[in-house]
Amino acid sequence: MYSGLMSTSERLIEATRELLWERGYVGTSPKAIQQLAGAGQGSMYHHFTGKPDLALAAVRRTAEEMRAAAAASLDGPGTAYERIAGYLLRERDVLRGCPLGRLTMDPDVIADDRLRAPVEETLDWLRGRLASVVEEGTERGELSAALVPADIAATIVATVQGGYVLARASGSPAAFDAGVRGLLTLLDPSADDRS
Amino acid sequence: MYSGLMSTSERLIEATRELLWERGYVGTSPKAIQQLAGAGQGSMYHHFTGKPDLALAAVRRTAEEMRAAAAASLDGPGTAYERIAGYLLRERDVLRGCPLGRLTMDPDVIADDRLRAPVEETLDWLRGRLASVVEEGTERGELSAALVPADIAATIVATVQGGYVLARASGSPAAFDAGVRGLLTLLDPSADDRS
DNA sequence: GTCTATAATCGGATAGAC
DNA sequence: GTCTATCCGATTATAGAC
């Protein structure tokens, strides 16, 4: 139940974000949203046309936050490797998974272009941003010249998204951390990578 | 609707596997299972105690299949790199995602130890099997000696699981393929990986 | 803006006839 | 083993009073 300092529509959006993260779109009912937001049915249907509309507002906000968080790691100073490492090693609520990525497993989200759009755009943006960092790294000689920026960017994002899967399967963040360590070893320009 | 050549309980399990893959546990109703299996409610509750019981049978079978498919790639001949590449590049229904991995985003699956167990065990087994291959590779000089087998194994599985996320977000297998290419570049012992 | 009432459908299951 | 009937709560709203 959220503070009364937030407006009703704000509380509804925040409650929806929370529940979408925890239970996904199919698993989140209007009633649960209303209870967590401390709002009645009338309020919800006054501010939003229905569950999809509210979910859209929630997903857009989550996408915004995710961009900002990634940019904070990637826009900083340091070598390409350091910025990528910073992104991979930043604090995460590993066992909760990615609030945006988890939605891709939701058939009702994938089937709705309006709901899928912010998810796609944000992951695309992230890959693009990482590809730029990798490209800078190869140009400056900080990373192997053999790397294809767009491919490595996809590998990095996939390792994070898949790391969540492994962590949730085992009930421990250890597998996520292992995957990240493995990727950093593979990227590390200072490691002796010859057999 | 499955062939009448299968027994009713077989059809129920296959229908459940299909729907769990497509819609997850929360999104799959007994009624939908019965319709797809061509079975009545009575049949379902005769053969299984309820939705969780049926889901358990379905998940166990899917886990078996996944192990067998991975083993087929990893147990073959070839260098460590070749076997890992074979596993990563084998044909997949990328846009459908991983039938086991997707369950980790389902809160009701994660909350139920009996349902989560086959998911955890199978992904653990896969990581272990890949770690063995990597270890063989480092010992034989086919892969960099700097690699920590368990970490690289986690990276490989995570790249696949996360690749599904990227593919589903964008509605195209391209991002999955890019992530795999990136990982193979990073693993490739013949690539010049010095800056 | 928020509340309560009402409603049609679905979800998950039990009971008992055949 | 399979079928139909029945049940109760949840889901996703709509209508209208306050």
Side-chain angles (χ1 to χ4, degrees), chain A residues 66 98 100-102 104-105 119 123-124 126-127 151 153-167 176 179 183, chain B residues 66 87-88 92 94-98 100-102 104-105 123 126 153-180 183:
Chain A
M66 190 170 145
C98 174
L100 228 53
R102 73 109 54 231
T104 62
M105 294 304 143
V119 179
L123 289 173
D124 278 1
L126 179 57
R127 280 198 285 152
D151 289 355
T155 305
I156 294 170
V157 180
T159 298
V160 170
Q161 293 293 327
Y164 290 131
V165 170
L166 298 184
F176 180 98
L183 180 58
Chain B
M66 190 170 147
Y87 167 73
L88 286 170
R92 293 166 192 276
V94 170
L95 286 181
R96 298 194 75 189
C98 175
L100 228 53
R102 73 108 55 233
T104 62
M105 294 303 143
L123 289 173
L126 179 57
T155 305
I156 294 170
V157 180
T159 299
V160 170
Q161 293 293 328
Y164 289 131
V165 170
L166 298 184
R168 284 177 64 90
S170 59
S172 153
F176 180 98
D177 297 337
V180 165
L183 180 58

Side-chain angles (χ1 to χ4, degrees), chain A residues 26 96 131 158 160:
Chain A
V26 196
R96 297 193 76 186
V160 170

